[in-house]
Each structure stands twice: as structure tokens, then as C-alpha cells.
Amino acid sequence: MNLDKSTKRIAKKVKNGFQGYPQITLAYFGPTEDCATQVVVSFILEAGASAQEERFSSEHDVRKDETIQTTLVKIIERAEAKTVVEVAGVAIIE
């Protein structure tokens, strides 16, 4: 799957808003607001359940990494996530 298609599919799921559980949250982290070198995927099965997390990182911007974006789409599909939340912006890490 190409990068453009992956990002559009993720954006479409995010745009739908809260649809129930399971829920996946995507949070981006990096050295600057323009470059996210890590993405944290949090999975919540049901209300009140603790989140399971998985991290992916890259030397370059993960939002422009075709492999990572395709992996995120596969995680969303396989988890049968009804809700996908994307934290706005890039959190700065040092």
C-alpha cells in the first residue's frame, strides 16, 4: 500500500470520531514539531480497560514512512478498531 493511500485511510477513520470500542490512539513524538521520529499506538479494548502500547521509530519522519503508515493501517484493521484518535501535533522529546 502506498503512503498516500495509508494516510488517507487513517485520516478517514480519525474523522469519523468516537464510534465505540475498541479504540486506537496514535501519538507522534520527535525532536521538533516538524519531524516526528516516533509514533505510539495505544489500544483500548473497552471502557475502563488499561491501554496496551506499541512504539515505532525511524531516523526520519514516521508520518512520511510508507512501511510504518502501512503497519498502522494493518493494526487498525486487525484490531477491528471502531474509533481511531490521532493526537494533534508532535510532542517534543529530547
Side-chain angles (χ1 to χ4, degrees):
M1 182 179 313
N2 67 29
L3 177 63
D4 200 36
K5 189 173 180 181
S6 297
T7 54
K8 283 181 182 178
R9 289 177 77 175
I10 292 169
K12 184 177 179 182
K13 292 289 273 182
V14 170
K15 186 178 169 184
N16 287 337
F18 186 77
Q19 301 291 315
Y21 292 93
Q23 174 180 317
I24 287 184
T25 303
L26 305 173
Y28 294 96
F29 299 88
T32 67
E33 291 182 13
D34 297 328
C35 182
T37 56
Q38 292 182 21
V39 60
V40 176
V41 181
S42 300
F43 174 78
I44 301 173
L45 182 60
E46 57 190 22
S50 60
Q52 299 174 17
E53 290 187 351
E54 188 164 356
R55 295 177 181 267
F56 297 95
S57 61
S58 173
E59 297 276 326
H60 308 287
D61 197 331
V62 295
R63 298 170 295 179
K64 294 178 173 70
D65 187 312
E66 184 175 332
T67 304
I68 292 175
Q69 292 299 308
T70 301
T71 301
L72 296 178
V73 169
K74 296 290 184 197
I75 289 170
I76 292 167
E77 290 173 352
R78 289 184 180 149
E80 297 179 359
K82 292 182 180 176
T83 302
V84 178
V85 176
E86 188 172 57
V87 177
V90 177
I92 305 297
I93 55 173
E94 296 181 20

